[in-house]
Structures are given as structure tokens and as C-alpha cells.
Amino acid sequence: MHGLLGKTLKHSFSKKIHESLGTPYELLETDDLSLFFESKDFDGINITIPYKEEVISYCDVIDPLVKRTNSCNTIVKKDGLLYAYNTDYTGFKESLSFHHITFEGKMIAIIGNGATSRTISALAEDLGAEQILVFARHPKENEYSLDRFNDYKDISIMINTTPVGMYPNIGDSLPCSLTSMKNLKIVIDVIYNPLKTTLLLEAEDAGLQTMNGLYMLVAQAAKSYELFHHKQVSSKQILSLYRALKKEQSNIVFIGMPKSGKSLYSKIYAEKYHRELYDIDTLFEAKFHMAISTYFDQYKESSFRKEEQAIIKEVSSYSGVVISTGGGAILKKENVTNLKHNGIIVFIDAPLDILKNTKTLIHRPLLQNDEALENLYKKRYQRYLDTADIVLKKQTLHTSTNINALEALLYEYFGT
């Protein structure tokens, strides 16, 4: 038996990765390590927070890298003995290479002082970092208080190794200001669920290069697989697994003007790829048992936007689904942030002439006539462009043509 040992594992993608490599794999949640290790009823396991340090005492043979970092994320049973390894080191190193990030001569700031922090500190030292600073809420000797992060203006690479912002608390953020760090070029977060933490979204807004923990997760899993089965996993396989997992876990989010076709395209895409569909307007009407136009009349737009925001926040925490938004959802920054945590934002860019000629039986509260439609279009168009990851130019009313174009854009985006 192979699996992942941890305390809470709902966020984990490890089962998907190892089973893609051909290994039956279990998620092994426990609050009692002593009880778990009494039987040694496994062939090989991976370890995640909070047990990467504690499990070492249960092992018989300790790899030198585990001794150096005091961190173990892989245990293999051989002839009744437990061997402790650290594959996070290799996984993070390969992720840096994939994202073309170098540490040599750089000042590195690592947030957190746990097992992953120690592993990355060791790697940064081996890769020639000029200086390595560790910041934590409760700093140990030779570490710094997190509230002093912004005092160090020469930091060029920031790495978060804490669970701040991890599912299900995807809105949480670190008490650090990125905009004041003039030499900061790269922000890394080892979290992979959500795909983009609040920290990474703030970094993107600041124009910085970012890296999440997904490639590291796949690369370290591949190294663990090699230790489990004595079979090598090629770089090509790792890349293929990474791209497939990224695509599978990403939400496809449709934005655009009313009457642009968001509901139709989201339904077609969800059915074709067997994904759950969440239409925000439909969810709203089901929750309040009335049409949106009726709600507008009774409670006004401001109340609608508040309730819409709550629905978007909940749905955005899901993975691998299709989301169709209302036309004005992108007007609130909070909505955009939530949708981008796990979502690829697709703007259906329908020109005015197509919008005006599209007939619908649904009453739109803000579209009383063509003049209102044109004014709304001019007001929102740039916001749609600024929000989107992918822009689908809708030049025809032929749905199949537009869907084919969308699939080509997504293929290019994910590289698969």
C-alpha cells in the first residue's frame, strides 16, 4: 500500500498524481502517529504537514538530506526497515528550473520556519544565494519577525512556505506589502490549492514573476515514485502530468456582456468535458426564489451585487468546474480576485452589432434598449479586457465555430 500521511488532506492532489503514474494511492489522515506506525502496514508513504519532522523518529535509516533539513516527506519500507527521504528538495529545484528562476547571487526571503522552509533554505544555499533571510511570526535564533519583512529592501525573491492562503482559507494573506519592495522581482508560494493564492495575485498585480507549488508537487511525487518502485519518471512525463493537472484543476470562468453567450458556451463546454457547471445568475435566482429583474425592482442593484459577491466567493473555491458569471460580476475587485484563485478567465468579446442582434427571452434589468446596451458596453469593455486571461473574439453567431476557437485558445494556454 502507498499513500499520503497527514492530518487534513482534503486539499491534496497527490492521489491524482500517483494514480496517473499507475500506483494505487490512499489518503491517510491521522491524529496519532504512534498508532499509525505500530503496524508499519505500508510499502511507501509521502508525508505532509504537520508531520514532516515528527515522522523521522519512527524511521530506521535516515538519508543525509533528511538529517540536514530535519524534514522527511517520503518513507520507504525495505526488508522491514523504514528509510526516510526528502524529495521536496528535488521537486523545488526542478520547479525553479522549469520557471527559469535562479538563486545565485540573490537575496532570498523565506516566509515560515517549518520543514519546507528548512528544505528550501538548504537548496538556496546550494544554489549560491547571496543571503537567505527567514521570517516567521515566532522567529527562532538567526530568524526575523515577519513584521520586519518590509525593512529589507534588497530582497529579490520571496518564498512563502506557510499554509496562509491554502484551501479552504483561500482569502487569507500575509501581512507584507509587496509594492514597497522595489528590488523584489519574483514571488513564490509553495501552495498549490488554490492555484493562485492572494499573495500570488497581489504579485501579479505588481507586475512580478510568480510561481506556485504545483510543479514542485508533481516533481517531488515523481521522485517518490522512483523510490517506491525503482522506476524512473522522465522529465517529459513530469511536464505532461503537470499540464494535465493544471488544466483539470483550473476553473473555466466566462465573463462578458449580457447576451454575449456566456450561459450557452459554459453549458456546452461543461457537458463536453464532463465538468460541473455553476451559473451565478441561476444560483442567485434559486437562492432567492425570484428572477433577478424582480430582485432589482424590489431591492436595487447594490443589494444584488452584495449577494452576488457571496455566491461567487463560494463557487470560486471549487476546482475543475465551469463558471458563468453575470455581466457586471467583474465590477467588484473582490469578485475578480476570488474568480482568479482557481480560474482561467475567458472574455467572450462579442461586438455591439452581434449583441444588438441577439434575441433573448430573459429580461435584463440594465438593458432597456439598444442605447442602454451601447452605453453599458462602452463602460465595461476595458474592464473585461483587463480581467481576462483569454479573449474569445466572437465574430459569428455560429456556436460551433466559436467553441472550436475557444478550445484552440485553451489548448494553447495550457500547452496540452
Side-chain angles (χ1 to χ4, degrees):
M1 185 268 289
H2 297 87
L4 175 67
L5 179 65
K7 200 165 190 176
T8 304
L9 301 175
K10 292 179 181 179
H11 68 284
S12 178
F13 297 164
S14 293
K15 182 177 175 68
K16 292 178 181 292
I17 297 170
H18 282 272
E19 293 188 345
S20 294
L21 290 167
T23 300
Y25 197 83
E26 303 295 331
L27 297 180
L28 309 168
E29 294 186 347
T30 185
D31 289 317
D32 190 336
L33 284 182
S34 296
L35 181 63
F36 178 83
F37 279 100
E38 274 183 10
S39 64
K40 297 184 181 179
D41 186 23
F42 59 85
D43 300 299
I45 54 173
N46 293 117
I47 319 297
T48 189
I49 55 175
Y51 297 136
K52 290 185 180 182
E53 180 178 344
E54 194 174 349
V55 296
I56 297 174
S57 63
Y58 294 93
C59 296
D60 304 294
V61 182
I62 314 300
D63 184 81
L65 186 57
V66 174
K67 292 181 180 179
R68 180 185 175 193
T69 61
N70 199 26
S71 176
C72 166
N73 78 312
T74 303
I75 298 175
V76 181
K77 186 167 68 175
K78 305 176 187 178
D79 300 322
L81 299 178
L82 300 184
Y83 288 70
Y85 299 96
N86 181 337
T87 68
D88 282 337
Y89 181 98
T90 300
F92 193 78
K93 184 178 181 180
E94 292 189 11
S95 185
L96 291 176
S97 178
F98 174 74
H99 288 91
H100 307 291
I101 295 173
T102 59
F103 279 0
E104 187 173 2
K106 307 287 179 58
M107 179 184 282
I108 311 295
I110 301 176
I111 311 300
N113 57 3
T116 303
S117 171
R118 294 192 295 273
T119 297
I120 292 175
S121 292
L123 177 61
E125 181 181 341
D126 294 345
L127 294 179
E130 180 179 325
Q131 190 172 2
I132 304 164
L133 305 177
V134 176
F135 295 86
R137 294 185 187 276
H138 304 290
K140 302 172 185 176
E141 187 177 0
N142 298 321
E143 298 175 351
Y144 302 87
S145 176
L146 184 55
D147 59 18
R148 292 191 58 198
F149 172 81
N150 290 110
D151 294 340
Y152 293 83
K153 303 300 183 183
D154 291 331
I155 293 170
S156 57
I157 300 177
M158 173 188 185
I159 307 165
N160 176 46
T161 67
T162 77
V164 174
M166 185 172 72
Y167 177 88
N169 302 309
I170 64 175
D172 292 356
S173 60
L174 293 167
C176 305
S177 170
L178 303 186
T179 55
S180 66
M181 307 297 286
K182 301 304 180 184
N183 292 311
L184 187 63
K185 305 298 181 185
I186 300 169
V187 175
I188 299 171
D189 199 325
V190 299
I191 292 171
Y192 55 84
N193 186 4
L195 295 170
K196 293 182 180 180
T197 58
T198 299
L199 174 66
L200 293 187
L201 290 174
E202 290 174 353
E204 286 185 354
D205 286 344
L208 306 178
Q209 182 181 352
T210 63
M211 175 183 121
N212 71 4
L214 190 61
Y215 197 97
M216 173 188 177
L217 175 73
V218 176
Q220 69 79 25
K223 184 63 177 177
S224 295
Y225 177 88
E226 292 177 359
L227 293 170
F228 293 157
H229 303 290
H230 307 289
K231 297 178 182 178
Q232 189 171 6
V233 181
S234 68
S235 298
K236 186 176 180 180
Q237 284 178 284
I238 293 173
L239 178 59
S240 178
L241 279 170
Y242 164 74
R243 286 175 169 171
L245 188 58
K246 181 181 179 182
K247 183 176 182 179
E248 180 182 346
Q249 295 302 317
S250 294
N251 298 332
I252 307 301
V253 182
F254 290 91
I255 66 171
M257 284 286 292
K259 304 202 296 182
S260 62
K262 300 185 298 296
S263 295
L264 175 61
Y265 293 162
S266 62
K267 182 179 180 181
I268 293 172
Y269 190 89
E271 289 178 351
K272 183 170 183 178
Y273 293 98
H274 309 290
R275 291 183 176 227
E276 292 291 328
L277 169 61
Y278 294 91
D279 187 300
I280 302 301
D281 285 353
T282 300
L283 291 173
F284 184 96
E285 292 182 341
K287 180 178 180 179
F288 292 97
H289 307 288
M290 67 176 71
I292 291 175
S293 57
T294 304
Y295 191 95
F296 259 67
D297 292 339
Q298 292 186 20
Y299 302 105
K300 307 305 179 187
E301 183 180 1
S302 59
S303 179
F304 168 77
R305 296 300 175 198
K306 181 180 179 181
E307 299 296 343
E308 178 188 52
Q309 182 179 336
I311 295 172
I312 288 174
K313 183 177 181 180
E314 179 181 352
V315 172
S316 295
S317 68
Y318 305 157
S319 297
V321 303
V322 177
I323 301 173
S324 177
T325 65
I330 48 83
L331 298 177
K332 279 187 172 289
K333 188 178 188 304
E334 294 86 349
N335 289 342
V336 175
T337 297
N338 284 325
L339 290 167
K340 281 183 172 287
H341 279 306
N342 280 317
I344 307 304
I345 313 297
V346 179
F347 168 36
I348 302 180
D349 185 4
L352 267 174
D353 59 335
I354 289 182
L355 293 174
K356 289 178 180 179
N357 290 322
T358 299
K359 306 302 179 184
T360 177
L361 298 176
I362 301 173
H363 175 55
R364 315 277 180 168
L366 299 179
L367 300 182
Q368 304 302 323
N369 49 52
D370 282 353
E371 182 180 357
L373 172 65
E374 187 168 348
N375 289 335
L376 202 64
Y377 179 89
K378 291 177 180 178
K379 180 180 178 181
R380 293 180 179 176
Y381 185 75
Q382 190 59 48
R383 186 75 67 91
Y384 290 131
L385 288 177
D386 293 341
T387 302
D389 298 299
I390 293 174
V391 178
L392 174 63
K393 291 283 187 180
K394 186 177 178 182
Q395 303 294 353
T396 174
L397 291 175
H398 295 293
T399 301
S400 59
T401 301
N402 292 317
I403 287 293
N404 290 339
L406 170 63
E407 290 178 321
L409 289 168
L410 289 169
Y411 183 93
E412 181 180 357
Y413 184 90
F414 289 110
T416 58

